[in-house]
Amino acid sequence: MMEKSDKSIKKILAIKDVTQCEATGLMLEKARKDGVKLAFDRAAEMKACPIGAESACCKMCYMGPCRLNARDPYSKVGVCGATIDTIQSRNLARMVASGSAAHNDHGMAVLELFKGVASGTITDYSIKDPYKLEALCVELEIEIAGMSIQEMALALAAELEKTYTQTEGEIPFIKRVPAKTLETWRKLDIVPRGAMIEVMGIMSRTHMGCDQHYKNMTKAISRTALADGWGGSMVATELGDIMFGTPSPVQADVNFGVLKKDHVNVIVHGHEPNLFESMLASVNDPALTQIARDKGAKGINLVGMCCSGAEMMSRHGVPHAGNFMSTEAVMVTGAVDAMAVDIQCIQQGLVKTADFYKTHLITTNPRCHIEGARHIEFEEHTPRACTDEIITLAIARFANRGVEVDIPQIVNKGIHGFSHEYINYMLGGTFRGGYAPLNDNIINGRIRGVAGVVGCVNPRVKQDWVHVELVKELIKNDVLVIQTGCSQISLAKEGLLVPEAAYLAGPGLREVCEAVGMPPILGLGSCVDNTRILMAATAMVKQGGLGDSIADLPVAGAAPEWMSEKAVAIGQYFVASGVYTVFGVGFPTVKNTKFHELLFGGLEDQGLGKWGVTPDPYEMAAMMIAHIDKKRQELGIDKSRERVLMDMATRRELAL
Ligand code: BF8
């Protein structure tokens, strides 16, 4: 039984106030008419718990649950005597552990696939970028003289397995960290040993009656977060590139208009590229295409959503229908014949929506079944068995849709796929590849700094709006923006991931964009691809002229509409790496407590980054720009310098 729409919700939430995405708004309106509730409406009905929102409650044992008073946080303690700082730090630690576990679990699955490919037991995937394989082996100091590609892959897999299983020492990608940043980490004892032991350590120390010093807890939080960014996520990105290809700029279409009424529409939503890559093979199978044609379809249309969608868009230009808050709304079009999901950010509410609009919702991963959804398990040794079956179901549904099809005809074209490697090439060309032009333009003031704007969309704020306003404000102030995840899709839907968007940039950034022919906003891929931002920051440090550690750089980060625990883990690994990171929506701590002060200031005094929070995009931009200016001042590059245009021709002359 579908729940009936609630008139009070219509009154409380005008559609223009809950989403900036026109297509999602149109479908939300239709859903309300159809009596179908989406997350926007559920959020309006479910007021966020004010005590939980500030993390002033503890349910680590059953002497409670205990509630403290966030307005007077030191007036009470829990039954065991736990203070507000213990309670908040334990809660944040568990969020980071969960987020880090999610990325590490994903990264480990990519590693398992890679091992299967390397050993020859998995044959449906292959090594597409042997150059990156070799470069990575060299970087990790693996002796590769005389090795075949297969031997290199096996050696790399063995080395990277330590990212997860090692219990002593430092994870492999620590070799990439700028020397001064690493020195700070070693001094603070926050270098991760291996993801499993770090996550287990958090679960152990947050048990009732264990770690009850917020400062010691914060070290474990940083270590566990770094085991994500420089660990599992980085493995997922790098091995994904080796197996599926390192992205380079590609034009792709985004928004609901990528669905086609006269095609069989199949959406893949989730995070693991293996399912999506196999689906791509299935839709290109002439036999399946012929079956679709026999049923009256013009073809099979494969579309992505959320993060695996962002990866496929970056690597292959596969169209993308929208971000997390559009995953229910897209089914309201009636045009989705099947939605295949794997792990993470798969709302349970999809089941009811799929049911109403007769879409096949199919879970595929052993870690993510959903009550009421059909499960067809994906197995990497025989991936096509799963994806072919999904296509077959979709074709059958196309032939007998039985619902009205109403697709908002909105499509936004954009350029995606700016990997760290491509940025290297783009700025310097084949022979002078490197970050010197970026650093030069930051030093001469043409580019003020770099901002990473990433993360989720959240129904507690107007979908896409905070991302879009923040990014526009940043580029207007000559800050180059790099993006991943749902945030990248927000800006893509605004039509701003194109070189022509340079007209919105400040004069300095515009000049650089026009000289290089690049957009002022660079899309780097999925959430695990935030590691590409870490690598870009590392390249800036290693290039020279902008300080010795990531903390010295005139850079800042933001997750303006965050909602997931993965976002907290990402935020903390950026902070621990040295980046000022601002969250929108809110932050799960109580202001003016010792733990809050440590996160929002104390960590910076230790040589790391720090947190910031504001729901207002303009204030967020001002905070980030002020930080960038402070770093410029500390580097002595705040004085205006003579601006010399370093276009490609000038650089070629210099090279000669
Ligand atoms: O990992 S940005 S809503 S889809 S958590 Fe989820 Fe957030 Fe989107 Fe991808 Ni990332």
Side-chain angles (χ1 to χ4, degrees):
M1 272 287 290
M2 292 307 302
E3 296 146 86
K4 282 286 154 204
S5 65
D6 182 340
K7 284 198 182 110
S8 62
I9 288 173
K10 282 187 205 162
K11 264 191 217 153
I12 302 166
L13 290 177
I15 283 166
K16 66 172 179 36
D17 294 331
V18 299
T19 180
Q20 169 137 322
C21 174
E22 192 185 341
T24 302
L26 287 168
M27 290 303 102
L28 176 57
E29 199 176 348
K30 180 172 183 291
R32 286 177 175 177
K33 278 189 201 136
D34 293 341
V36 177
K37 275 185 193 167
L38 308 186
F40 297 101
D41 296 329
R42 294 194 296 272
E45 285 179 321
M46 176 75 67
K47 194 171 176 302
C49 166
I51 302 157
E54 287 179 294
S55 204
C57 53
C58 179
K59 56 182 178 69
M60 298 303 182
C61 80
Y62 215 62
M63 294 194 290
C66 297
R67 296 195 308 189
L68 269 54
N69 180 358
R71 304 282 75 81
D72 191 4
Y74 292 103
S75 63
K76 269 166 78 176
V77 292
V79 174
C80 69
T83 64
I84 186 72
D85 297 304
T86 296
I87 289 173
Q88 299 179 92
S89 62
R90 279 199 299 224
N91 289 341
L92 195 87
R94 286 209 173 175
M95 291 182 93
V96 169
S98 169
S100 180
H103 283 140
N104 274 290
D105 201 20
H106 168 175
M108 209 159 155
V110 177
L111 176 70
E112 284 305 306
L113 177 67
F114 183 68
K115 273 161 60 179
V117 170
S119 63
T121 58
I122 291 177
T123 52
D124 281 64
Y125 304 90
S126 59
I127 288 174
K128 297 250 170 60
D129 191 344
Y131 303 106
K132 182 150 183 172
L133 167 66
E134 188 177 336
L136 212 54
C137 287
V138 171
E139 206 182 345
L140 293 175
E141 296 164 15
I142 298 170
E143 191 51 65
I144 55 166
M147 274 191 184
S148 67
I149 287 180
Q150 189 186 16
E151 286 164 340
M152 278 193 272
L154 285 169
L156 180 63
E159 177 66 13
L160 290 180
E161 184 134 39
K162 294 179 191 164
T163 304
Y164 310 102
T165 55
Q166 186 173 266
T167 54
E168 276 176 40
E170 300 177 345
I171 54 173
F173 279 132
I174 290 304
K175 291 195 175 75
R176 292 180 148 181
V177 179
K180 194 175 157 206
T181 303
L182 181 56
E183 192 188 311
T184 308
W185 291 0
R186 285 184 176 145
K187 199 173 77 201
L188 296 172
D189 187 24
I190 59 170
V191 182
R193 297 159 291 177
M196 288 177 173
I197 197 155
E198 299 307 348
V199 172
M200 184 173 75
I202 288 269
M203 297 314 284
S204 155
R205 73 174 62 221
T206 53
H207 187 274
M208 186 269 153
C210 197
D211 199 351
Q212 287 152 103
H213 200 307
Y214 70 98
K215 284 187 181 168
N216 199 41
M217 188 76 77
T218 303
K219 285 187 184 183
I221 291 173
S222 291
R223 229 177 5 245
T224 307
L226 291 171
D228 174 349
W230 296 87
S233 282
M234 199 169 271
V235 170
T237 297
E238 301 297 52
L239 294 186
D241 283 356
I242 291 171
M243 286 190 286
F244 311 126
T246 304
S248 59
V250 58
Q251 182 174 298
D253 292 344
V254 171
N255 219 320
F256 283 12
V258 300
L259 296 172
K260 296 176 183 165
K261 190 172 183 174
D262 52 9
H263 280 59
V264 176
N265 291 302
V266 178
I267 290 183
V268 181
H269 157 33
H271 287 80
E272 296 203 330
N274 49 5
L275 170 74
F276 213 143
E277 293 279 346
S278 178
M279 197 70 85
L280 188 58
S282 289
V283 300
N284 285 314
D285 184 327
L288 286 168
T289 312
Q290 190 53 51
I291 297 172
R293 290 213 180 99
D294 292 345
K295 295 286 182 191
K298 287 212 169 128
I300 306 172
N301 183 33
L302 179 62
V303 167
M305 291 194 91
C306 290
C307 277
S308 50
E311 280 198 43
M312 293 301 279
M313 183 174 64
S314 301
R315 290 204 175 97
H316 310 299
V318 172
H320 197 290
N323 55 23
F324 169 69
M325 278 309 292
S326 301
T327 53
E328 289 177 301
V330 78
M331 289 196 280
V332 181
T333 61
V336 184
D337 297 302
M339 178 183 278
V341 300
D342 50 36
I343 52 163
Q344 300 169 16
C345 307
I346 319 293
Q347 301 188 71
Q348 191 161 1
L350 292 174
V351 173
K352 277 192 171 181
T353 317
D355 207 33
F356 189 88
Y357 295 100
K358 299 186 170 30
T359 292
H360 289 293
L361 176 69
I362 299 142
T363 55
T364 58
N365 196 286
R367 304 132 130 165
C368 175
H369 289 229
I370 307 178
E371 189 181 355
R374 184 192 294 249
H375 187 80
I376 304 173
E377 190 120 332
F378 178 82
E379 215 287 309
E380 285 151 349
H381 294 86
T382 53
R384 291 285 302 275
C386 169
T387 52
D388 285 5
E389 191 179 342
I390 292 170
I391 299 289
T392 308
L393 282 169
I395 294 171
R397 193 267 188 188
F398 172 86
N400 185 23
R401 277 181 172 158
V403 290
E404 176 202 357
V405 173
D406 176 7
I407 304 170
Q409 294 302 315
I410 303 169
V411 177
N412 308 102
K413 291 198 182 301
I415 310 294
H416 301 263
F418 288 90
S419 56
H420 149 67
E421 287 82 353
Y422 188 82
I423 296 174
N424 210 39
Y425 162 77
M426 171 177 77
L427 293 168
T430 310
F431 300 109
R432 293 188 70 243
Y435 276 64
L438 175 64
N439 282 23
D440 288 349
N441 278 307
I442 291 174
I443 292 165
N444 68 27
R446 204 171 283 125
I447 295 177
R448 193 168 189 161
V450 181
V453 180
V454 306
C456 323
V457 277
N458 181 330
R460 299 280 169 213
V461 296
K462 182 173 171 178
Q463 182 191 9
D464 300 333
W465 182 78
V466 196
H467 292 289
V468 170
E469 292 306 300
L470 170 66
V471 170
K472 279 187 185 166
E473 201 64 21
L474 288 169
I475 62 171
K476 195 169 84 188
N477 285 284
D478 291 316
V479 176
L480 174 67
V481 172
I482 47 185
Q483 291 213 274
T484 61
C486 289
S487 182
Q488 180 176 330
I489 305 303
S490 298
L491 270 294
K493 287 189 291 177
E494 207 55 29
L496 294 182
L497 289 182
V498 289
E500 295 74 22
Y503 83 94
L504 290 172
L509 178 60
R510 185 164 66 227
E511 219 172 277
V512 176
C513 289
E514 284 169 356
V516 180
M518 70 179 200
I521 308 160
L522 304 178
L524 270 56
S526 67
C527 268
V528 293
D529 294 332
N530 280 319
T531 62
R532 300 192 199 277
I533 300 181
L534 291 178
M535 289 311 295
T538 299
M540 286 165 72
V541 175
K542 292 186 176 169
Q543 183 63 47
L546 293 174
D548 303 323
S549 76
I550 296 176
D552 294 336
L553 294 172
V555 302
E561 302 182 21
W562 78 280
M563 65 87 198
S564 74
E565 290 171 315
K566 288 185 294 172
V568 183
I570 292 168
Q572 184 67 28
Y573 76 61
F574 273 107
V575 167
S577 296
V579 180
Y580 176 47
T581 304
V582 188
F583 266 22
V585 191
F587 197 88
T589 51
V590 177
K591 276 189 182 156
N592 303 320
T593 55
K594 287 183 274 183
F595 180 59
H596 180 93
E597 296 300 322
L598 177 60
L599 297 182
F600 284 70
L603 292 180
E604 189 177 43
D605 301 335
Q606 296 173 13
L608 307 176
K610 65 175 177 183
W611 284 95
V613 61
T614 173
D616 179 333
Y618 311 111
E619 190 184 354
M620 194 178 290
M623 288 158 71
M624 293 165 78
I625 291 166
H627 178 81
I628 285 170
D629 286 350
K630 185 180 86 174
K631 291 293 166 186
R632 293 186 65 86
Q633 197 178 15
E634 286 168 7
L635 289 165
I637 56 170
D638 53 322
K639 325 266 179 309
S640 60
R641 298 190 176 204
E642 194 195 346
R643 293 189 164 188
V644 183
L645 178 62
M646 290 281 283
D647 60 9
M648 288 300 282
T650 319
R651 270 188 268 130
R652 264 186 230 113
E653 266 171 42
L654 278 175
L656 285 172

